[in-house]
Amino acid sequence: MAEYNEQELKAHIKSGNFSNAYFIYGDEPYLKNFYLSKIISSTVDPAFESFNLHMHEGDKIDIEDAFKDAEMLPMMSEYNLVVVRDFPADKTKASAEAIKEYISDLPESTIFILAFIEYTPENKSKYLQILEKAFNSAGVVVKMQKRTESDVVKLLISGAKKRNTLLTQSNARYLISVCGNDLKTLLNELDKLCSFVNGEEITKEVIDNMATRSFEARIYDISSAVSRNDAKRAYDILNYLLDNKIKANDILSEICSTFVTSYRVKCAKTAGQAYNDVGNYFNYRGRDFLLRNANRDSSVYSENQLRRAIDICINADIQLKSTSINEKIVLEEVIAKLLLNSVEVSYA
């Protein structure tokens, strides 16, 4: 029947012409949850919610129970709504086929929603493809992608304005670089900052002092400290992350990712392309700040240095996965090698 993006889904809900089946997935949890709530509030009267709204959530769902609820007639309402949320239906053929078969002949008064909100299906799963095709035939498929950074910047500026607060475009972009591009986190941070400044401008200094830095931003701080040969700051941030129980593999993976991005940007510039052209080949949607950071930092490295930095991380990853050596020691050694690499000192 249809495959909608965010704007098309918004118009669809506003029209009031609801489908019998919806499949909602994608990589932006806030938007997925927001529009799921919109469909619910638009089709279910709160006074009769206990009769007409049936929620099934998690990986322990008995999908047959959801099918039984879907057979019920609505009470004092046009619709009987069944929501199956975060059930990993893409994992097995049996689940995918059962849902496919059931939604092919839904009762006219039933709206059946399969929503992956927190759970992220595997894009290459053949059972995900079965589900997409089935819902596309029976109803509506919605893949909710992350908004572009420009769209998020507009949202933050508008949100600040509604609170009688000034947030410039450059500071909105800086807020994203500090807090990451998760919409729920950003909107919570914006609310906090607006309350703090109480009608005044949200400045870069306010963001630095008040905003909660994301894990991605803290890893970037390590890489930035390495590029400036600031060993103390690099180790201080590493210790902070370890003290907060961040897994060593996650830290190492993100450090490697920053150097991979810098290497991509360096190669693009060597080939005569702009740094943000990298986004045409790799998925940096909503994370333009990573390319800007890489553009700035890659200038202090040669391509050979960036390749060596990536090798350092890969070898450490092998070490973490194949030996029982203390993880903190491995990460400290990684930073030491990256610091030496940044000034072209051989550690071999």
Side-chain angles (χ1 to χ4, degrees), residues 223 252-268 278 282 284 287 290-291 294-295 298 301 303 305-311 313-314 338:
S223 301
L252 181 61
S253 175
E254 198 63 37
I255 290 174
C256 188
S257 180
T258 63
F259 283 102
V260 168
T261 299
S262 290
Y263 182 67
R264 287 170 176 169
V265 166
K266 189 77 172 182
C267 290
V278 173
F282 303 97
Y284 288 94
R287 301 184 299 158
L290 293 180
L291 297 178
N295 181 48
S298 64
Y301 292 106
E303 287 185 20
Q305 282 176 295
L306 290 170
R307 280 194 288 265
R308 284 198 297 269
I310 296 168
D311 285 341
C313 295
I314 291 173
L338 290 174

Side-chain angles (χ1 to χ4, degrees), residues 24 29 33 37-38 62 98-99 184 216 248 253 283 301:
I24 302 174
N33 195 56
S37 299
K38 277 285 188 183
D62 185 339
I99 293 172
K184 183 177 180 180
E216 196 171 50
S253 175
N283 183 17
Y301 292 106

Side-chain angles (χ1 to χ4, degrees), residues 31-46:
L31 291 176
K32 289 184 289 185
N33 195 56
F34 177 82
Y35 285 105
L36 172 61
S37 299
K38 277 285 188 183
I39 295 173
I40 292 173
S41 64
S42 299
T43 56
V44 178
D45 184 339

Side-chain angles (χ1 to χ4, degrees), residues 178-195:
V178 167
C179 300
N181 67 337
D182 178 77
L183 271 183
K184 183 177 180 180
T185 299
L186 281 170
L187 292 174
N188 286 339
E189 288 296 321
L190 179 66
D191 195 42
K192 179 178 72 177
L193 295 175
C194 287
S195 297

Side-chain angles (χ1 to χ4, degrees), residues 12 17-24 39 111-114 135 140:
H12 171 77
N17 297 317
F18 293 98
S19 175
N20 288 107
Y22 292 86
F23 179 38
I24 302 174
I39 295 173
I111 296 177
F112 188 95
I113 303 176
L114 178 63
F135 277 88
V140 172

